[in-house]
Amino acid sequence: MGKMAAAVGSVATLLFRFYRQSRPGTADLGGVIDFSVSHAARGTGPGAAKVVKSQLNLSSVSDHDALRAGLQPVSKWQAYGLQGYPGFIFISNPFLPGYQWHWVKQCLKLYSRKPNVCNLDKHMTKEETQDLWEQSKEFLRCKEVNKRRPRSLLEKLRWVTLGYHYNWDSKRYSADHYTPFPSDLAFLSEQVAAACGFQGFRAEAGILNYYRLDSTLGIHVDRSELDHSRPLLSFSFGQSAIFLLGGLKRDEAPTPMFMHSGDIMVMSGFSRLLNHAVPRVLPNAEGDSLPGCLGTPLPADLPRDSVVEPCSLEDWQVCASYLKTARVNMTVRQVLAVGQDFPLDPTEENKRDITAEGSCHLDDDNSQVKRARLSPDC
């Protein structure tokens, strides 16, 4: 009986390993939901039948404000939900053609700068990590010429934190570890949250994950924010990935879905505290190239009050070289409820068993840890 219970309890872990080892273009991915295609082609697995249309708040975001953030009018967004996952909303690439260029450039060029915090800080000085873009751009421009060169610092980047900086050891945020949250990303997040029914959302913390093709993100729950009534927003750019959306318990079988460049996910309500993971980043089916939606340049004539800034072809050349073998994900959170402050002394209720939780950092196959880390909280 004990062995049977253990086998059932490991369903999520087994599926994580299965998709981590999956081969693109084979039957391995037949059960993965693809929101970017017609309903009839969304997969043959049990998850395909769960897809439903999500109703958005069309009047909450003006067409002009959507344009300022580089988004199509909300009336044109393709938003979906999943039966059994109330509060989960998947928006299939609502960005206007070319506007993803800005957000990719910001992740690589601006958000990676100091005073923001990144994984490289643990082994390097602030001076060495002050401007990763400047130190990496020539390496990336020459990537096609010399593929055996050492990796640039940007290619060694795994995560960056914004706003209230997440402490990976204590699993907490704190008032004294804060830098101003990027205003353009805050505006984008506010529009998406409002369209999903969350007017007044405040972007207070961000975790950016930088995936290589061999990177994974273990099973975890995002519960460190003090206000769980506000949604978690997730923005994906670059190569596609498989996302596993599980249940409140780690042993519940997850539903797999593709996340393509430009896709946005919103986890709120019941779905806000669900287990989830990224077991696989998928190389472009056409080889060493970018997704088609990234092939259109950012328009030169931007609205006067746009939060989106021009992106030079020289800068995009660096971004494109990076994204051919990578994916970037931005997650944005509201940490505190309106009028709420951080507790002076953490209560027993909020304490985390750090030893049991391990870590939810990105793993890749050439790191010291060869297997996926499965973490309940990050």
Side-chain angles (χ1 to χ4, degrees), residues 159-187:
W159 54 262
V160 166
T161 56
L162 311 171
Y164 287 116
H165 295 285
Y166 184 71
N167 186 310
W168 300 96
D169 295 323
S170 67
K171 312 294 183 190
R172 300 180 190 281
Y173 300 96
S174 63
D176 59 357
H177 197 192
Y178 175 84
T179 55
F181 194 91
S183 59
D184 58 347
L185 181 54
F187 184 79

Side-chain angles (χ1 to χ4, degrees), residues 55-58 60-61 74 77 190-199:
Q55 298 299 314
L56 299 175
N57 190 336
L58 302 183
S60 63
V61 179
V74 177
W77 294 8
E190 290 161 6
Q191 308 318 304
V192 172
C196 295
F198 294 95
Q199 287 85 353

Side-chain angles (χ1 to χ4, degrees), residues 44-95:
T44 57
K50 299 178 181 178
V51 177
V52 295
K53 290 284 289 186
S54 282
Q55 298 299 314
L56 299 175
N57 190 336
L58 302 183
S59 62
S60 63
V61 179
S62 69
D63 290 355
H64 181 70
D65 279 344
L67 175 60
R68 290 180 61 199
L71 298 166
Q72 301 177 54
V74 177
S75 59
K76 295 185 177 181
W77 294 8
Q78 298 297 314
Y80 305 94
L82 292 172
Q83 294 176 7
Y85 296 94
F88 175 77
I89 303 172
F90 191 105
I91 305 170
S92 183
N93 186 13
F95 289 93

Side-chain angles (χ1 to χ4, degrees), residues 1 15 30 33 37 56 68 80 103 107 117 128 144 147 159 163 221 225 269 285 311 320 329-330 333 336 351 378:
M1 189 72 177
L15 282 174
I33 297 173
V37 299
L56 299 175
R68 290 180 61 199
Y80 305 94
W103 300 108
C107 289
V117 181
E128 290 175 314
E144 299 304 317
K147 295 188 176 182
W159 54 262
V221 175
E225 296 72 32
C311 178
N329 178 250
M330 309 188 300
R333 308 108 187 281
L336 301 167
K351 287 183 179 178
C378 81

